[in-house]
Amino acid sequence: MPGLRKGDKLKEQDSSPPQPTPRPRKGDKHEEQGLGPEPAAPQQPMAEEEALIEFHRSYRELFEFFCNNTTIHGAIRLVCSRHNRMKTAFWAVLWLCTFGVMYWQFGLLFGEYFSYPVSLNINLNSDKLVFPAVTICTLNPYRYAEIKEELEELDRITEQTLYDLYKYNSTTLVAHSRGRRELRGTLPHPLQRLRVPPPPHGARRARSAASSVRDNNPQVDRKDWKIGFQLCNQNKSDCFYQTYSSGVDAVREWYRFHYINILSRLPETLPSLEEDTLGNFIFACRFNQVSCNQANYSHFHHPMYGNCYTFNDKNNSNLWMSSMPGINNGLSLMLRTEQNDFIPLLSTVTGARVMVHGQDEPAFMDDGGFNLRPGVETSISMRKEALDRLGGDYGDCTKNGSDVPVKNLYPSKYTQQVCIHSCFQESMIKACGCAYIFYPRPQNVEYCDYKKHSSWGYCYYKLQADFSSDHLGCFTKCRKPCSVTSYQLSAGYSRWPSVTSQKWVFQMLSLQNNYTISNKRNGVAKVNIFFKELNYKSNSESPSVTMVTLLSNLGSQWSLWFGSSVLSVVEMAELILDLLVITFLMLLRRFRSRYWSPGRGGRGAQEVASTPASSLPSHFCPHPTSLSLSQPGLAPSPALTAPPPAYATLGSCPSPGGTTGASSSACPLGGP
């Protein structure tokens, strides 16, 4: 029955045999009160208190029971010193302050846990290592036969432009001067000299005042103009000049822009190179003192770096393994670095470009490569490092790129550079309608060519500015991979061949490799790539605060401030549950006494609730009370006594014959 309290007893639960119950008389009550204390009287409430579910009568009783029986230190001081108000107040304030500090510490611990910190674990391993892939390029962009005439025309127009701007007279300028002047107008986006607007009057005055001081630093006469070319959108409504302060940079970028358009006109299948191309570039190749063969490398063409060869890539059936460190247990290449002047206006450096990368990673020569100097032996020592990041809540990384909103256009595994280049290509196709030739393209998409896409240059340079400032969101979309393998490189240089040995070295190269060049030292280079040591670092992340650590820290704080355990936490939960149940029962009792009294309303229920039980008329149905209240000399405590509910059974009980009789038995629930 809801609202059942300690000590309450219904008369229907009496196990004594049914006997005719006489009507209570006034003398019966006095006679029961006059009885002396019986030894068996206290045993009956003990039997009634052992119920399945019991709740306390009031908050005071609940609080006293909790303080007297809890295992939390200091709680009993709130009860044992209740006659001393100063001590009670002191312990109450101390108890509350301790609770506040403890839960403040709890907040800090939970905040640390939900910030998901990580710890970096560094392990040093030693084992046989797979040799990485090595890509090396000639730095000579290749002249394909299919576009040779267009490149020659571009060279003549560029030479004419250099003569018009800088009065530079090339060796072929006189023979083709007339033809160049006729062809220049047919080439879009001509290179122009642009005058820079003069500075403000105040800045010009300050500059003239500073230059008026005569000293040992004479004033430098500088040209107030820049070099650039104009780019416009489709309908010519918006134009801008792509300008450069350096004439060399302007000519190279302008030439590169037109070279990209010409290169995009190549057929789908690139023409095959000559069979002796690798032999013309690489004189000797050895790995672990064993000569290389054709199965150890693959070839591709880079628009800016020419012919490139990748050794030990994923297509190699037997990957190279390094079981010993040192220069004699790595890759050794002897290269031919002379410039054949394939495209001299596009490539202005000599030597070769090399990059070390993973087997399943593309070679981004612009991002990670470095140049080799002719006439020098470059020794590159490597040290492997592996990093494993935690994903999910602990870090913003991806395992395989499947959850990154950028399609991988490269036939390789996911890397951040792969994602960034793919993101730029997607933005290029979406904004300009064509693909950039430096990056892979999707199917059914053409490379950009101003003969087909007249405004792609305007779109590209605008997009490049947005890409650099991350307005495209590529750097935000492309997350770091959770597992990364990198190689830390350190290089050493020495002159090769030496003065005393260069004669016989060049003699052998000329006999074996048909090496004929006037300045022999500027035409050869040597590179050695090897592991410095087989020990490699493995860095892995682990959670700094796990659930076990959090529970341990919480238990330490609880024990520090209260010296208790997990069971004390259960006691606190039980106290809160009892408080909620008692509050619910009291609200339910008040609701029933106010709204369930027929014909009386709230005011009548309040009157009945405030009427003492001794003043009720005898024809009202009796309300069962605790036996402890019927003992002489025990007055009920106001805090432990609740007013009787105004049930409908408190009215007069009708007799079976229809007349109202003075019956001594309680009316059944739901009766008329």
Side-chain angles (χ1 to χ4, degrees):
M1 174 180 178
L4 185 60
R5 300 171 301 171
K6 286 185 178 181
D8 294 346
K9 178 182 178 183
L10 297 179
K11 291 199 174 184
E12 286 81 2
Q13 296 177 355
D14 194 359
S15 59
S16 58
Q19 295 180 1
T21 306
R23 183 174 179 175
R25 301 182 180 87
K26 295 182 179 181
D28 296 342
K29 181 179 180 180
H30 297 290
E31 187 174 349
E32 289 177 1
Q33 293 177 354
L35 295 176
E38 297 179 0
Q43 299 296 330
Q44 192 170 359
M46 292 297 295
E48 293 178 354
E49 289 179 358
E50 295 180 359
L52 182 61
I53 300 177
E54 296 180 352
F55 299 103
H56 297 276
R57 296 172 180 269
S58 63
Y59 296 116
R60 182 183 182 88
E61 180 182 351
L62 174 63
F63 183 69
E64 289 182 355
F65 175 81
F66 175 77
C67 293
N68 287 324
N69 297 278
T70 185
T71 58
I72 300 177
H73 293 185
I76 196 172
R77 307 292 296 181
L78 301 175
V79 180
C80 67
S81 59
R82 61 183 177 179
H83 299 294
N84 191 333
R85 294 184 177 180
M86 182 176 294
K87 285 187 176 183
T88 303
F90 169 76
W91 280 100
V93 171
L94 182 61
W95 213 65
L96 292 177
C97 290
T98 305
F99 251 98
V101 173
M102 184 186 67
Y103 280 104
W104 171 63
Q105 294 289 331
F106 281 3
L108 295 180
L109 293 176
F110 277 107
E112 182 184 10
Y113 175 76
F114 286 107
S115 64
Y116 301 105
V118 297
S119 299
L120 184 62
N121 305 319
I122 301 177
N123 299 321
L124 189 62
N125 305 316
S126 180
D127 198 359
K128 290 183 179 181
L129 299 178
V130 178
F131 199 81
V134 177
T135 299
I136 189 164
C137 300
T138 62
L139 290 181
N140 275 326
Y142 186 70
R143 284 183 182 268
Y144 290 99
E146 287 78 2
I147 57 176
K148 186 175 182 179
E149 294 182 359
E150 296 180 86
L151 291 177
E152 290 177 354
E153 180 183 0
L154 178 61
D155 291 342
R156 291 193 298 267
I157 296 176
T158 306
E159 291 174 358
Q160 178 65 39
T161 303
L162 291 176
Y163 180 79
D164 294 340
L165 295 178
Y166 297 99
K167 304 303 179 182
Y168 169 74
N169 191 3
S170 176
T171 57
T172 60
L173 184 60
V174 179
H176 304 279
S177 60
R178 184 176 179 180
R180 286 192 301 271
R181 288 190 177 93
E182 293 177 354
L183 291 175
R184 186 186 175 189
T186 62
L187 195 64
H189 313 291
L191 195 63
Q192 306 175 23
R193 184 175 64 184
L194 308 174
R195 183 170 295 276
V196 179
H201 180 70
R204 186 165 57 249
R205 179 186 301 175
R207 185 176 62 180
S208 62
S211 62
S212 63
V213 179
R214 298 294 180 179
D215 53 9
N216 294 328
N217 297 322
Q219 183 179 2
V220 179
D221 186 13
R222 303 181 64 180
K223 299 293 184 179
D224 292 332
W225 47 267
K226 289 186 177 182
I227 301 295
F229 51 97
Q230 189 182 37
L231 297 166
C232 298
N233 58 358
Q234 187 71 29
N235 54 8
K236 310 296 182 181
S237 61
D238 185 20
C239 299
F240 71 94
Y241 283 93
Q242 185 71 16
T243 60
Y244 301 88
S245 59
S246 172
V248 176
D249 294 338
V251 172
R252 289 188 69 248
E253 183 63 27
W254 179 80
Y255 190 95
R256 177 177 174 269
F257 173 71
H258 290 284
Y259 173 73
I260 290 174
N261 290 272
I262 296 174
L263 199 63
S264 63
R265 299 164 198 166
L266 284 172
E268 292 290 335
T269 57
L270 294 178
S272 58
L273 302 178
E274 294 82 356
E275 295 182 358
D276 59 344
T277 301
L278 180 64
N280 290 337
F281 175 52
I282 300 178
F283 290 152
C285 172
R286 295 177 65 85
F287 178 77
N288 280 346
Q289 304 299 321
V290 178
S291 298
C292 308
N293 53 44
Q294 191 174 0
N296 298 133
Y297 70 90
S298 60
H299 166 261
F300 68 94
H301 181 265
H302 193 277
M304 295 298 297
Y305 299 108
N307 294 323
C308 299
Y309 305 91
T310 301
F311 294 88
N312 197 38
D313 62 353
K314 63 179 180 180
N315 297 323
N316 192 359
S317 58
N318 296 321
L319 294 179
W320 291 342
M321 299 292 296
S322 291
S323 57
M324 293 288 291
I327 193 172
N328 295 323
N329 298 283
L331 178 63
S332 179
L333 298 173
M334 189 182 302
L335 309 175
R336 183 173 185 173
T337 59
E338 62 176 336
Q339 293 292 309
N340 296 323
D341 290 337
F342 286 163
I343 307 179
L345 293 171
L346 188 64
S347 177
T348 58
V349 296
T350 182
R353 191 167 183 86
V354 64
M355 180 181 177
V356 178
H357 55 92
Q359 271 79 18
D360 200 18
E361 298 177 5
F364 296 110
M365 306 304 294
D366 288 328
D367 303 333
F370 56 92
N371 295 338
L372 300 177
R373 182 180 176 182
V376 172
E377 180 178 2
T378 305
S379 298
I380 303 173
S381 61
M382 301 181 299
R383 178 175 293 175
K384 181 181 176 180
E385 288 189 6
L387 175 60
D388 292 328
R389 299 185 180 95
L390 288 176
D393 297 328
Y394 293 94
D396 189 17
C397 70
T398 177
K399 292 184 178 180
N400 53 11
S402 59
D403 53 346
V404 174
V406 177
K407 182 181 179 181
N408 186 2
L409 300 178
Y410 288 82
S412 62
K413 71 175 184 180
Y414 175 88
T415 64
Q416 193 172 23
Q417 290 299 103
V418 165
C419 178
I420 291 175
H421 291 182
S422 300
C423 177
F424 180 82
Q425 187 73 298
E426 287 184 357
S427 303
M428 183 78 182
I429 296 173
K430 183 178 180 181
C432 307
C434 57
Y436 190 48
I437 197 170
F438 280 15
Y439 306 142
R441 59 175 177 175
Q443 293 182 355
N444 303 324
V445 178
E446 295 179 338
Y447 282 124
C448 292
D449 180 10
Y450 49 58
K451 288 187 176 181
K452 299 179 181 179
H453 314 88
S454 59
S455 62
W456 84 267
Y458 170 88
C459 178
Y460 166 74
Y461 286 104
K462 288 284 188 181
L463 200 67
Q464 184 68 30
D466 294 339
F467 174 76
S468 301
S469 58
D470 199 22
H471 290 164
L472 301 180
C474 292
F475 297 98
T476 305
K477 297 177 184 177
C478 297
R479 295 180 290 168
K480 297 179 180 179
C482 294
S483 298
V484 178
T485 300
S486 60
Y487 299 92
Q488 304 299 324
L489 308 179
S490 58
Y493 307 93
S494 61
R495 184 176 181 178
W496 183 87
S498 63
V499 178
T500 58
S501 61
Q502 61 182 356
K503 291 184 178 181
W504 74 267
V505 171
F506 291 143
Q507 182 67 23
M508 293 297 296
L509 291 177
S510 62
L511 294 176
Q512 183 177 358
N513 300 95
N514 194 20
Y515 181 74
T516 55
I517 189 172
S518 58
N519 191 356
K520 299 182 182 298
R521 181 170 295 279
N522 291 334
V524 292
K526 190 176 182 181
V527 58
N528 303 308
I529 304 174
F530 56 92
F531 278 109
K532 184 178 181 179
E533 56 184 15
L534 295 183
N535 298 329
Y536 67 96
K537 288 196 304 182
S538 177
N539 305 323
S540 60
E541 293 181 349
S542 61
S544 296
V545 183
T546 60
M547 181 59 68
V548 176
T549 307
L550 176 64
L551 294 177
S552 177
N553 294 337
L554 293 177
S556 300
Q557 292 294 327
W558 186 272
S559 300
L560 174 64
W561 297 104
F562 287 101
S564 49
S565 62
V566 178
L567 298 180
S568 304
V569 180
V570 178
E571 293 176 1
M572 291 291 300
E574 183 185 16
L575 173 64
I576 296 174
L577 179 62
D578 289 344
L579 288 173
L580 295 176
V581 171
I582 291 177
T583 303
F584 173 75
L585 292 179
M586 293 183 67
L587 292 176
L588 180 62
R589 187 179 297 116
R590 179 173 296 182
F591 176 79
R592 298 172 82 180
S593 64
R594 183 170 183 174
Y595 295 103
W596 286 15
S597 179
R600 300 180 64 88
R603 184 176 180 181
Q606 184 177 2
E607 292 178 358
V608 174
S610 60
T611 304
S614 59
S615 61
L616 292 176
S618 60
H619 63 273
F620 274 67
C621 297
H623 182 74
T625 58
S626 176
L627 294 178
S628 61
L629 298 178
S630 63
Q631 295 181 3
L634 296 178
S637 174
L640 302 177
T641 305
Y647 294 117
T649 57
L650 291 178
S652 56
C653 301
S655 61
T659 61
T660 304
S663 176
S664 61
S665 61
C667 298
L669 293 176

